[in-house]
Amino acid sequence: MKAAILSVGTELLFGQVVNTNAAYLSKELNSMGIDVMYHYTVGDNPARLADMIHMSFKDCDLVITTGGLGPTQDDMTKEIACQVLGDKLVEDKKVLEELEERLKAFGKDLVVTFNNYKQAMVPSRGVIFHNENGSAPGFALGDPEEKKFIICLPGPPREMTAMFKTSAASWLEKLVDSAMVYKEIRMFGIGESELETRLLPLIDGQTDPTLATYVKNGECSVRIASKRATKEEASAAVAEMIEKVNGYIGDFVYSLDNEELVQVVGRKLLEKNITISCAESCTGGMFAAALTDVPGISAVFDRGIVTYSNKAKMEELGVKEETLAAHGAVSEETAMEMAEGIRRVSGSDIGISVTGIAGPGGGTPEKPVGLVYIGFVYGDKKICKKIDRRITDRSANRRHSLLTMLNIINKEI
Amino acid sequence: MKAAILSVGTELLFGQVVNTNAAYLSKELNSMGIDVMYHYTVGDNPARLADMIHMSFKDCDLVITTGGLGPTQDDMTKEIACQVLGDKLVEDKKVLEELEERLKAFGKDLVVTFNNYKQAMVPSRGVIFHNENGSAPGFALGDPEEKKFIICLPGPPREMTAMFKTSAASWLEKLVDSAMVYKEIRMFGIGESELETRLLPLIDGQTDPTLATYVKNGECSVRIASKRATKEEASAAVAEMIEKVNGYIGDFVYSLDNEELVQVVGRKLLEKNITISCAESCTGGMFAAALTDVPGISAVFDRGIVTYSNKAKMEELGVKEETLAAHGAVSEETAMEMAEGIRRVSGSDIGISVTGIAGPGGGTPEKPVGLVYIGFVYGDKKICKKIDRRITDRSANRRHSLLTMLNIINKEI
């Protein structure tokens, strides 16, 4: 089965919203064995929306739309989906009741407006999907004889993903006759060119499983995908290929199943019951924020201290005034005193620190923007990692520092 | 001038990468008065890539591609662009030299691979764009008689945005004959339905400027856009409409020019020279990380303490054991002691704190997931804000807490 994902909304064409929906749906559809052939985005324009659905049906059986189901005047997706598949909108009693209850529950905080009621209109032949996070229902509408199917989901990502999981996915599963399995191997510390060169013997002449390399946010990954008659066959083929790939690049790999580095580190810390606290300067709390995004991490994460000023470094972590005077805040010596300091005040097993010049300003010839020191203490281990990238992008430097910190922990525990 | 943005890469169709490039380019093109009609995404498939460019040219004059310029075998965009516009690839001496220098500068850390040299091939009639953050050059290729233009940019966002700013934008400016100006008014604490109801008198019958409402990451915004013969005319029309809009919803507005709330708050703190420190529990460092993303903030941000454990709350912030025992970590009393504590230890003008249950687990009937208390102390002002949203999404709760903290600071200073 081939699918197109059609995102509706002028806000996308104006660039005010990044289209995360297309990525989410692509991942889900692929894992069900549905090939995603295209992403399209059109504005809130009925004629172009209809054109795009017709065009998608030229080589796809399934169109999934996101957006344009809301209460406002320019929300037209339902009307167009009905028009293309020859259905009409009718008022749905159940949706109407839910809508009224929902509005009532919000009480006086929400103004009940007439256009909310537009949302109770649904296609007469549609399978209606309840929206547990919003007021606009979604639906699936099919022409089984012609093998043309449209699924319409709301635009806000939280509403869309919940509706896909709870309703659309099971509706779709009935339509699918093959299974795709893919895994993404993630790694840190290797460039895309080198990665592909190493894997060339495996990539050349690939049919199934397929291998592809990617770069995202400064990290490389390899996707291994197999499409077979059953999920079991596809899984086995992927597992066999993972073994081979790992033989070539295993030293850089941190996840064989598309986990974020922070998830891997969080899980390891929890499994091994190793407590940790952190002292951050240039990342300004990003490390703590990333780690505390892992549910349940409170069992091992005690505290994080963002010491932006020298005064804070001395008061909170006991960094010596002489050290700051002799070597500066961005130095191996300060990084190590920060790491020792946070371990001491927290009593955690691991103390990790970071200090650097994130940019865009603040660099000198001796200490250029991009210079970062990471301190790590754990038992008798004391490690200082120097990063010296001549990159002035503040966000890129902060993110690279964060990943390097996580990578050190992952290697050392 | 009408444009289509064509993103190339199987990784997008697999959903492994979110397409931020389309959003970035859309914003830039719109601000230059170029109408973005479509976003398309296709895989690394030469035939479909060519089809999509031909299709775009049916009602667009300009196609901007991103991706597929790299060194690997499936990078085919250059070849296809040449094929569509009747050009051929030739080796570019300058690009080749830069490439060799770049590879040399990386030294022994990078394996110099044969496929890197594929990147030195460029269209013979193209205007070549230097890539200051990577090795793949981009280019513009035009057929001025037929008014068909293709611009090819690299896929990695950092490379693409830098190349657009330094090279592609000025090349495009010569082609454009009208000017669009738009501003985005951003606000916090109002829902989309209420927003549109309030603005209905302005939205009804709109021609130019146009008004549109959006929701993104839990915040609403209004976009006001005008397209006129000159930038000055368009700016004046937009400014006039902003006045009107502000009359209806001014109480929720924090930016009239699409600034992030954290940027507004950071700027205000710097302008007024008000120092700040923070104590975080459920946001785990997100507040400090967000604020320290503002360049120069070190002048007013002293420190942030993430006290995840009760022990850390007592030791670092002086929260009383009795308070924690009587009211729990998630309570008004603890939030206020945390805010007072961080102000005391840092000596900052503002102390702000947050403690809550982010979820997905950890809730009780008395203290459900989503319950958050924010403490704020500044001079004689002492404010506690309770948030009680019955939402179990950890990220959404953390983000909403962060925005509420920033909103309090913005209102109170």
Side-chain angles (χ1 to χ4, degrees), chain A residues 277-298:
Chain A
S277 289
C278 59
E280 302 177 66
S281 187
C282 61
T283 52
M286 285 170 75
F287 178 86
L291 199 60
T292 55
D293 207 30
V294 178
I297 199 72
S298 57

Side-chain angles (χ1 to χ4, degrees), chain B residues 73-285:
Chain B
Q73 293 188 339
D74 54 6
D75 292 314
M76 296 294 299
T77 309
K78 276 193 295 207
E79 290 76 0
I80 301 300
C82 281
Q83 182 190 306
V84 172
L85 290 185
D87 197 4
K88 60 175 196 287
L89 291 174
V90 294
E91 190 177 272
D92 187 300
K93 284 251 150 41
K94 192 157 161 268
V95 174
L96 189 63
E97 275 168 29
E98 279 171 5
L99 193 59
E100 286 173 337
E101 260 172 50
R102 201 183 148 77
L103 292 173
K104 217 186 295 170
F106 272 103
K108 61 175 166 35
D109 287 325
L110 195 87
V111 177
V112 181
T113 59
F114 178 75
N115 49 16
N116 282 122
Y117 291 99
K118 179 172 173 243
Q119 301 187 292
M121 301 296 286
V122 298
S124 71
R125 298 198 319 263
V127 175
I128 309 308
F129 300 153
H130 174 67
N131 186 342
E132 60 188 43
N133 293 301
S135 51
F139 59 87
L141 189 59
D143 185 337
E145 277 183 29
E146 296 252 331
K147 289 211 171 185
K148 302 290 177 207
F149 306 95
I150 299 182
I151 289 181
C152 293
L153 302 173
R158 208 164 58 87
E159 298 179 25
M160 190 282 293
T161 53
M163 189 181 289
F164 186 86
K165 275 183 216 155
T166 56
S167 308
S170 54
W171 189 89
L172 271 173
E173 264 165 18
K174 295 176 204 146
L175 296 182
V176 178
D177 56 357
S178 71
M180 170 171 270
V181 168
Y182 72 94
K183 296 263 180 181
E184 193 172 343
I185 301 183
R186 299 191 48 165
M187 62 207 81
F188 183 72
I190 183 172
E192 193 187 17
S193 249
E194 184 181 350
L195 175 61
E196 194 176 81
T197 302
R198 285 198 187 203
L199 294 183
L200 215 55
L202 297 176
I203 291 174
D204 264 352
Q206 55 178 313
T207 51
D208 184 304
T210 57
L211 265 87
T213 62
Y214 301 103
V215 188
K216 182 168 59 175
N217 286 337
E219 292 180 66
C220 280
S221 65
V222 178
R223 190 201 65 231
I224 300 165
S226 174
K227 191 172 177 181
R228 303 284 172 99
T230 68
K231 206 155 195 146
E232 289 67 32
E233 277 179 55
S235 292
V238 167
E240 198 182 321
M241 181 58 87
I242 285 179
E243 285 272 308
K244 287 186 196 164
V245 168
N246 219 17
Y248 289 94
I249 53 161
D251 33 342
F252 298 99
V253 170
Y254 64 76
S255 172
L256 294 176
D257 197 10
N258 198 25
E259 275 185 297
E260 296 285 334
L261 183 49
V262 67
Q263 298 294 334
V264 174
V265 168
R267 187 167 35 75
K268 264 198 193 179
L269 290 168
L270 286 167
E271 278 171 9
K272 296 172 185 259
N273 196 27
I274 300 172
T275 59
I276 184 167
S277 289
C278 59
E280 301 178 66
S281 187
C282 61
T283 52

Side-chain angles (χ1 to χ4, degrees), chain B residues 6 8 42-43 45-54 65 76-77 80 84:
Chain B
L6 176 48
V8 183
V42 291
N45 177 307
R48 277 198 285 274
L49 179 53
D51 279 356
M52 213 51 103
I53 297 178
H54 283 299
T65 71
M76 296 294 299
T77 309
I80 301 300
V84 172

Side-chain angles (χ1 to χ4, degrees), chain B residues 232-402:
Chain B
E232 289 67 32
E233 277 179 55
S235 292
V238 167
E240 198 182 321
M241 181 58 87
I242 285 179
E243 285 272 308
K244 287 186 196 164
V245 168
N246 219 17
Y248 289 94
I249 53 161
D251 33 342
F252 298 99
V253 170
Y254 64 76
S255 172
L256 294 176
D257 197 10
N258 198 25
E259 275 185 297
E260 296 285 334
L261 183 49
V262 67
Q263 298 294 334
V264 174
V265 168
R267 187 167 35 75
K268 264 198 193 179
L269 290 168
L270 286 167
E271 278 171 9
K272 296 172 185 259
N273 196 27
I274 300 172
T275 59
I276 184 167
S277 289
C278 59
E280 301 178 66
S281 187
C282 61
T283 52
M286 287 172 74
F287 178 85
L291 199 60
T292 56
D293 207 31
V294 178
I297 200 71
S298 57
V300 294
F301 179 69
D302 182 68
R303 73 191 76 176
I305 305 190
V306 182
T307 51
Y308 230 53
S309 66
N310 279 351
K311 184 165 157 281
K313 288 183 184 72
M314 293 187 284
E315 289 175 6
E316 298 288 346
L317 305 169
V319 174
K320 295 195 208 85
E321 195 164 2
E322 308 87 77
T323 307
L324 290 166
H327 306 284
V330 178
S331 64
E332 178 173 342
E333 291 77 5
T334 299
M336 293 314 293
E337 288 187 19
M338 287 171 69
E340 295 280 11
I342 189 65
R343 180 165 67 167
R344 190 176 56 247
V345 301
S346 66
S348 294
D349 300 325
I350 293 176
I352 188 161
S353 72
V354 58
T355 177
I357 301 154
T364 63
E366 295 75 37
K367 297 193 175 177
V369 168
L371 181 67
V372 174
Y373 292 90
I374 292 167
F376 173 86
V377 292
Y378 174 41
D380 294 335
K381 274 188 196 166
K382 295 183 185 197
I383 296 171
C384 183
K385 167 90 184 165
K386 178 183 178 181
I387 305 173
D388 192 2
R389 308 199 313 160
R390 304 297 164 100
I391 288 174
T392 55
D393 181 322
R394 185 176 179 86
S395 295
N397 281 329
R398 280 160 52 102
R399 183 165 165 78
H400 186 79
S401 301
L402 165 64

